[in-house]
Amino acid sequence: MSATRAEPGLGLPSLPARIAEPGEAITMDELRLASRNHAMPLEALRHELTPAGLHYLLIHYDIPEAEPGHWRLRLGGAVDRPVELSLAELRARPRVTHTVTLECAGNGRALLDPRPLSQPWLDGGVGTAEWTGTPLAPLLREAGLDPAAVEVCFTGADHGVERGVEQTYARSLPLAEALREDALLADTMNGAPLPPQHGAPLRLVVPGWYGMAQVKWLTEVTVLTEPFTGFQQVVAYRFKQEAEDPGEPVTRIGPRALMVPPGFPDFMSRVRVCERTAQLLTGRAWSGRPPVTAVEVSTDGGLSWQPAALGPAADTYAWRPWHHPWHPEVPGTYRLMVRASDASGRAQPAGPDWNRQGMGNNGVQVVDVVVR
Ligand SMILES: Nc1nc2c(c(=O)[nH]1)N[C@H]1C(S)=C(S)[C@@H](COP(=O)(O)O)O[C@H]1N2
Ligand SMILES: [Mo]
């Protein structure tokens, strides 16, 4: 492991993460995380590109101090010619833009019962941006890959301690994913310099993978001849039932559709109030195994489903808009739901699939509406 155990005397939480007791309310620790790492408000689904300030955030430790003039990216490990690049040198290379939907692997975690204690996402841990930067693959090829290379590890500038393990944030990708032409070293988000919270001055964007792979504040790219065994690779981001299970790695985003909640909300409960008129339900749907092939809507709590109309995606790994007409004719309460399926044949499950770390919960969204 590239990480060391924190000194035992510090009294910090250690492995494994706690699971909430049945019926246990959100804790102060979860609230603190949730107020640092905000969700995308669902009404922002109306934007094809999420404005940077509305894009979700997930920052394990602190936003590190970054001085763009002194920033260096070191590319090394199992290569013939290690290199160190300044931001100016990176910006002088070929530039590419991709519109990519990012989603946190923990999105939906707080809807699990019992709830794994971590960032308590409901369903807004998602956003779509236009990321601009230089493709990673040519840099790797120019450095001369060792024929024995199997993975590429990406290290950020942020440091912390997590479940008793002190570490610098790092994640790896299989070599084939790192060599994809659409994997970018991005310095620009929606046409503006990358904001501090999204990884300034440089981050990895690997379309289709859950958020943990999109390493921010990128300082090191290391080619490996053995699989990476860092904390964020082998301990965190695993689908497992028991704390001791090695589990399966979390990789690509599962299919999901979300709707813009219709009408207007109650301040506290967020229950919606709608008029008894014809309206258009709208939203977006995405998958890390694109394209999304179908979106279905239920307005009767899942008893019946109708196909929604799908619009085009801005890019291969960007969400698709959908819409569906709805005319509630009887006053009362309605439960609206939406679900997506993708090109791989994966579909959203009716309810959450529980796992120990609350990963990849793409259970269907539920929106309760009072029609008056
Ligand atoms: N260096 C570093 N990179 C990181 C993280 C982090 O804490 N440190 N969080 C990851 C996680 S878990 C997610 S979901 C995405 C979130 O990206 P965003 O905040 O730009 O939406 O960044 C990823 N990259
Ligand atoms: Mo995440």
Side-chain angles (χ1 to χ4, degrees), residues 313-348:
D315 204 338
T316 309
Y317 290 94
W319 54 23
R320 296 183 73 169
W322 62 263
H323 62 89
H324 185 70
W326 181 46
H327 191 165
E329 280 165 26
V330 183
T333 58
Y334 289 79
R335 174 158 284 190
L336 311 184
M337 299 164 97
V338 61
R339 66 184 184 194
S341 46
D342 70 17
S344 75
R346 286 172 173 78
Q348 288 186 247

Short mmCIF file of all heavy atoms in Angstrom, two decimals, residues 313-348:
data_model
loop_
_atom_site.label_atom_id
_atom_site.label_comp_id
_atom_site.label_asym_id
_atom_site.label_seq_id
_atom_site.Cartn_x
_atom_site.Cartn_y
_atom_site.Cartn_z
N ALA A 313 -27.73 13.15 -27.25
CA ALA A 313 -26.68 13.52 -26.30
C ALA A 313 -25.70 14.45 -27.01
O ALA A 313 -25.46 14.31 -28.21
CB ALA A 313 -25.96 12.27 -25.81
N ALA A 314 -25.11 15.40 -26.26
CA ALA A 314 -24.13 16.33 -26.83
C ALA A 314 -22.83 15.62 -27.19
O ALA A 314 -22.06 16.10 -28.02
CB ALA A 314 -23.85 17.46 -25.84
N ASP A 315 -22.58 14.47 -26.55
CA ASP A 315 -21.33 13.73 -26.75
C ASP A 315 -21.58 12.29 -26.30
O ASP A 315 -22.60 12.01 -25.66
CB ASP A 315 -20.22 14.39 -25.91
CG ASP A 315 -18.82 14.13 -26.45
OD1 ASP A 315 -18.63 13.14 -27.19
OD2 ASP A 315 -17.91 14.91 -26.11
N THR A 316 -20.66 11.39 -26.60
CA THR A 316 -20.86 9.97 -26.31
C THR A 316 -21.18 9.73 -24.83
O THR A 316 -22.06 8.94 -24.50
CB THR A 316 -19.59 9.17 -26.68
OG1 THR A 316 -19.24 9.52 -28.02
CG2 THR A 316 -19.83 7.68 -26.61
N TYR A 317 -20.43 10.40 -23.95
CA TYR A 317 -20.60 10.17 -22.51
C TYR A 317 -21.32 11.32 -21.81
O TYR A 317 -21.10 11.57 -20.63
CB TYR A 317 -19.24 9.89 -21.87
CG TYR A 317 -18.67 8.54 -22.29
CD1 TYR A 317 -17.79 8.45 -23.37
CD2 TYR A 317 -19.04 7.37 -21.63
CE1 TYR A 317 -17.27 7.22 -23.77
CE2 TYR A 317 -18.54 6.15 -22.03
CZ TYR A 317 -17.65 6.08 -23.09
OH TYR A 317 -17.15 4.86 -23.47
N ALA A 318 -22.17 12.02 -22.54
CA ALA A 318 -23.00 13.08 -21.94
C ALA A 318 -24.42 12.56 -21.80
O ALA A 318 -24.85 11.71 -22.57
CB ALA A 318 -22.98 14.32 -22.83
N TRP A 319 -25.15 13.11 -20.83
CA TRP A 319 -26.54 12.68 -20.62
C TRP A 319 -27.43 13.07 -21.79
O TRP A 319 -27.10 13.96 -22.57
CB TRP A 319 -27.06 13.20 -19.29
CG TRP A 319 -26.97 14.69 -19.04
CD1 TRP A 319 -26.88 15.70 -19.95
CD2 TRP A 319 -26.93 15.32 -17.75
NE1 TRP A 319 -26.80 16.91 -19.33
CE2 TRP A 319 -26.83 16.72 -17.98
CE3 TRP A 319 -26.99 14.86 -16.44
CZ2 TRP A 319 -26.78 17.64 -16.93
CZ3 TRP A 319 -26.95 15.78 -15.41
CH2 TRP A 319 -26.84 17.15 -15.66
N ARG A 320 -28.55 12.35 -21.94
CA ARG A 320 -29.54 12.62 -22.99
C ARG A 320 -30.77 13.26 -22.35
O ARG A 320 -31.22 12.80 -21.30
CB ARG A 320 -30.03 11.32 -23.66
CG ARG A 320 -28.97 10.57 -24.41
CD ARG A 320 -29.58 9.33 -25.08
NE ARG A 320 -30.40 9.71 -26.23
CZ ARG A 320 -30.87 8.84 -27.12
NH1 ARG A 320 -30.65 7.54 -26.97
NH2 ARG A 320 -31.59 9.25 -28.14
N PRO A 321 -31.37 14.26 -23.01
CA PRO A 321 -32.62 14.79 -22.48
C PRO A 321 -33.78 13.84 -22.80
O PRO A 321 -33.73 13.11 -23.80
CB PRO A 321 -32.78 16.11 -23.26
CG PRO A 321 -32.04 15.90 -24.55
CD PRO A 321 -30.93 14.92 -24.26
N TRP A 322 -34.79 13.84 -21.94
CA TRP A 322 -36.02 13.09 -22.23
C TRP A 322 -37.21 13.96 -21.83
O TRP A 322 -37.07 14.90 -21.04
CB TRP A 322 -36.05 11.74 -21.48
CG TRP A 322 -36.02 11.84 -19.99
CD1 TRP A 322 -34.92 11.74 -19.18
CD2 TRP A 322 -37.13 12.11 -19.12
NE1 TRP A 322 -35.27 11.92 -17.87
CE2 TRP A 322 -36.62 12.15 -17.80
CE3 TRP A 322 -38.50 12.31 -19.32
CZ2 TRP A 322 -37.45 12.38 -16.69
CZ3 TRP A 322 -39.33 12.54 -18.21
CH2 TRP A 322 -38.79 12.57 -16.91
N HIS A 323 -38.36 13.68 -22.43
CA HIS A 323 -39.58 14.37 -21.99
C HIS A 323 -40.79 13.46 -22.14
O HIS A 323 -40.77 12.50 -22.93
CB HIS A 323 -39.78 15.70 -22.73
CG HIS A 323 -39.94 15.56 -24.21
ND1 HIS A 323 -41.16 15.37 -24.81
CD2 HIS A 323 -39.03 15.59 -25.22
CE1 HIS A 323 -40.99 15.28 -26.13
NE2 HIS A 323 -39.71 15.41 -26.40
N HIS A 324 -41.81 13.77 -21.34
CA HIS A 324 -43.01 12.93 -21.32
C HIS A 324 -44.20 13.78 -20.89
O HIS A 324 -44.15 14.41 -19.84
CB HIS A 324 -42.80 11.77 -20.34
CG HIS A 324 -43.93 10.78 -20.36
ND1 HIS A 324 -44.16 9.94 -21.43
CD2 HIS A 324 -44.89 10.52 -19.45
CE1 HIS A 324 -45.21 9.20 -21.16
NE2 HIS A 324 -45.69 9.53 -19.98
N PRO A 325 -45.27 13.83 -21.71
CA PRO A 325 -46.42 14.65 -21.33
C PRO A 325 -47.20 14.00 -20.18
O PRO A 325 -47.31 12.78 -20.11
CB PRO A 325 -47.27 14.68 -22.61
CG PRO A 325 -46.87 13.47 -23.38
CD PRO A 325 -45.46 13.14 -22.99
N TRP A 326 -47.75 14.85 -19.31
CA TRP A 326 -48.52 14.35 -18.17
C TRP A 326 -49.69 15.30 -17.93
O TRP A 326 -49.47 16.52 -17.84
CB TRP A 326 -47.64 14.27 -16.92
CG TRP A 326 -48.35 13.75 -15.69
CD1 TRP A 326 -49.18 12.67 -15.62
CD2 TRP A 326 -48.27 14.29 -14.36
NE1 TRP A 326 -49.62 12.48 -14.34
CE2 TRP A 326 -49.08 13.47 -13.54
CE3 TRP A 326 -47.60 15.36 -13.80
CZ2 TRP A 326 -49.23 13.70 -12.17
CZ3 TRP A 326 -47.74 15.59 -12.43
CH2 TRP A 326 -48.55 14.76 -11.62
N HIS A 327 -50.88 14.76 -17.86
CA HIS A 327 -52.05 15.59 -17.58
C HIS A 327 -52.86 14.97 -16.44
O HIS A 327 -53.76 14.15 -16.66
CB HIS A 327 -52.93 15.74 -18.84
CG HIS A 327 -53.99 16.79 -18.66
ND1 HIS A 327 -54.69 17.33 -19.70
CD2 HIS A 327 -54.45 17.40 -17.54
CE1 HIS A 327 -55.55 18.22 -19.23
NE2 HIS A 327 -55.42 18.29 -17.93
N PRO A 328 -52.53 15.33 -15.19
CA PRO A 328 -53.29 14.79 -14.07
C PRO A 328 -54.68 15.42 -14.07
O PRO A 328 -54.81 16.64 -14.09
CB PRO A 328 -52.49 15.23 -12.84
CG PRO A 328 -51.72 16.43 -13.28
CD PRO A 328 -51.51 16.30 -14.76
N GLU A 329 -55.72 14.58 -14.10
CA GLU A 329 -57.08 15.13 -14.21
C GLU A 329 -57.83 15.10 -12.89
O GLU A 329 -58.86 15.76 -12.75
CB GLU A 329 -57.84 14.38 -15.32
CG GLU A 329 -57.40 14.94 -16.68
CD GLU A 329 -57.78 14.08 -17.87
OE1 GLU A 329 -58.75 13.32 -17.75
OE2 GLU A 329 -57.07 14.18 -18.89
N VAL A 330 -57.31 14.34 -11.93
CA VAL A 330 -57.99 14.20 -10.64
C VAL A 330 -57.08 14.77 -9.56
O VAL A 330 -55.90 14.43 -9.51
CB VAL A 330 -58.27 12.70 -10.36
CG1 VAL A 330 -59.04 12.54 -9.06
CG2 VAL A 330 -59.00 12.06 -11.53
N PRO A 331 -57.60 15.65 -8.69
CA PRO A 331 -56.77 16.15 -7.59
C PRO A 331 -56.36 15.00 -6.67
O PRO A 331 -57.10 14.02 -6.56
CB PRO A 331 -57.68 17.14 -6.85
CG PRO A 331 -58.86 17.36 -7.74
CD PRO A 331 -58.97 16.19 -8.65
N GLY A 332 -55.22 15.14 -6.02
CA GLY A 332 -54.77 14.08 -5.11
C GLY A 332 -53.26 13.96 -5.12
O GLY A 332 -52.58 14.83 -5.66
N THR A 333 -52.77 12.88 -4.54
CA THR A 333 -51.32 12.70 -4.48
C THR A 333 -50.88 11.70 -5.55
O THR A 333 -51.58 10.71 -5.81
CB THR A 333 -50.87 12.19 -3.10
OG1 THR A 333 -51.54 10.97 -2.83
CG2 THR A 333 -51.18 13.21 -2.01
N TYR A 334 -49.77 12.01 -6.17
CA TYR A 334 -49.22 11.18 -7.24
C TYR A 334 -47.77 10.87 -6.92
O TYR A 334 -47.07 11.73 -6.36
CB TYR A 334 -49.27 11.92 -8.58
CG TYR A 334 -50.67 12.08 -9.13
CD1 TYR A 334 -51.51 13.08 -8.63
CD2 TYR A 334 -51.15 11.25 -10.14
CE1 TYR A 334 -52.79 13.25 -9.14
CE2 TYR A 334 -52.43 11.40 -10.64
CZ TYR A 334 -53.25 12.40 -10.14
OH TYR A 334 -54.51 12.56 -10.64
N ARG A 335 -47.35 9.68 -7.26
CA ARG A 335 -45.93 9.32 -7.12
C ARG A 335 -45.35 9.13 -8.52
O ARG A 335 -45.72 8.21 -9.24
CB ARG A 335 -45.80 8.05 -6.27
CG ARG A 335 -44.39 7.53 -6.18
CD ARG A 335 -44.18 6.66 -4.97
NE ARG A 335 -44.06 7.47 -3.76
CZ ARG A 335 -43.68 6.99 -2.58
NH1 ARG A 335 -43.41 5.71 -2.43
NH2 ARG A 335 -43.57 7.79 -1.54
N LEU A 336 -44.44 10.04 -8.90
CA LEU A 336 -43.80 9.99 -10.22
C LEU A 336 -42.47 9.25 -10.10
O LEU A 336 -41.75 9.41 -9.11
CB LEU A 336 -43.55 11.40 -10.76
CG LEU A 336 -44.72 12.39 -10.72
CD1 LEU A 336 -44.32 13.71 -11.37
CD2 LEU A 336 -45.95 11.80 -11.40
N MET A 337 -42.16 8.46 -11.12
CA MET A 337 -40.90 7.72 -11.14
C MET A 337 -40.37 7.71 -12.56
O MET A 337 -41.12 7.85 -13.52
CB MET A 337 -41.13 6.27 -10.68
CG MET A 337 -41.65 6.18 -9.25
SD MET A 337 -42.34 4.56 -8.88
CE MET A 337 -40.97 3.82 -8.08
N VAL A 338 -39.03 7.55 -12.69
CA VAL A 338 -38.42 7.47 -14.02
C VAL A 338 -37.26 6.49 -13.96
O VAL A 338 -36.59 6.39 -12.93
CB VAL A 338 -37.99 8.88 -14.51
CG1 VAL A 338 -36.96 9.51 -13.60
CG2 VAL A 338 -37.49 8.83 -15.95
N ARG A 339 -37.10 5.72 -15.05
CA ARG A 339 -36.01 4.73 -15.06
C ARG A 339 -35.41 4.62 -16.47
O ARG A 339 -36.12 4.79 -17.47
CB ARG A 339 -36.49 3.36 -14.58
CG ARG A 339 -37.51 2.72 -15.50
CD ARG A 339 -38.03 1.40 -14.93
NE ARG A 339 -38.93 0.75 -15.87
CZ ARG A 339 -39.75 -0.25 -15.56
NH1 ARG A 339 -39.78 -0.73 -14.33
NH2 ARG A 339 -40.52 -0.79 -16.49
N ALA A 340 -34.11 4.31 -16.51
CA ALA A 340 -33.38 4.23 -17.78
C ALA A 340 -32.76 2.85 -17.95
O ALA A 340 -32.51 2.14 -16.98
CB ALA A 340 -32.26 5.28 -17.80
N SER A 341 -32.51 2.51 -19.21
CA SER A 341 -31.70 1.32 -19.51
C SER A 341 -30.70 1.71 -20.60
O SER A 341 -30.87 2.72 -21.29
CB SER A 341 -32.57 0.14 -19.92
OG SER A 341 -33.54 0.54 -20.85
N ASP A 342 -29.64 0.91 -20.74
CA ASP A 342 -28.55 1.31 -21.64
C ASP A 342 -28.19 0.22 -22.65
O ASP A 342 -28.77 -0.87 -22.64
CB ASP A 342 -27.32 1.75 -20.84
CG ASP A 342 -26.62 0.60 -20.12
OD1 ASP A 342 -26.85 -0.58 -20.46
OD2 ASP A 342 -25.83 0.90 -19.20
N ALA A 343 -27.23 0.56 -23.50
CA ALA A 343 -26.82 -0.31 -24.60
C ALA A 343 -26.27 -1.66 -24.14
O ALA A 343 -26.28 -2.63 -24.90
CB ALA A 343 -25.76 0.41 -25.44
N SER A 344 -25.81 -1.74 -22.89
CA SER A 344 -25.26 -3.01 -22.40
C SER A 344 -26.36 -3.94 -21.89
O SER A 344 -26.09 -5.05 -21.47
CB SER A 344 -24.28 -2.74 -21.25
OG SER A 344 -24.99 -2.41 -20.06
N GLY A 345 -27.63 -3.42 -21.89
CA GLY A 345 -28.74 -4.22 -21.37
C GLY A 345 -28.97 -3.98 -19.89
O GLY A 345 -29.90 -4.54 -19.31
N ARG A 346 -28.15 -3.15 -19.26
CA ARG A 346 -28.37 -2.83 -17.85
C ARG A 346 -29.58 -1.91 -17.71
O ARG A 346 -29.82 -1.07 -18.57
CB ARG A 346 -27.14 -2.17 -17.24
CG ARG A 346 -25.99 -3.14 -17.01
CD ARG A 346 -24.72 -2.40 -16.60
NE ARG A 346 -23.65 -3.29 -16.21
CZ ARG A 346 -22.88 -3.96 -17.06
NH1 ARG A 346 -23.06 -3.86 -18.37
NH2 ARG A 346 -21.92 -4.76 -16.62
N ALA A 347 -30.33 -2.08 -16.61
CA ALA A 347 -31.50 -1.24 -16.34
C ALA A 347 -31.48 -0.88 -14.87
O ALA A 347 -30.85 -1.56 -14.06
CB ALA A 347 -32.77 -2.01 -16.69
N GLN A 348 -32.17 0.20 -14.52
CA GLN A 348 -32.21 0.61 -13.12
C GLN A 348 -33.07 -0.36 -12.32
O GLN A 348 -34.19 -0.69 -12.75
CB GLN A 348 -32.80 2.01 -13.01
CG GLN A 348 -31.87 3.08 -13.49
CD GLN A 348 -32.45 4.46 -13.21
OE1 GLN A 348 -32.78 5.17 -14.13
NE2 GLN A 348 -32.57 4.81 -11.94
#
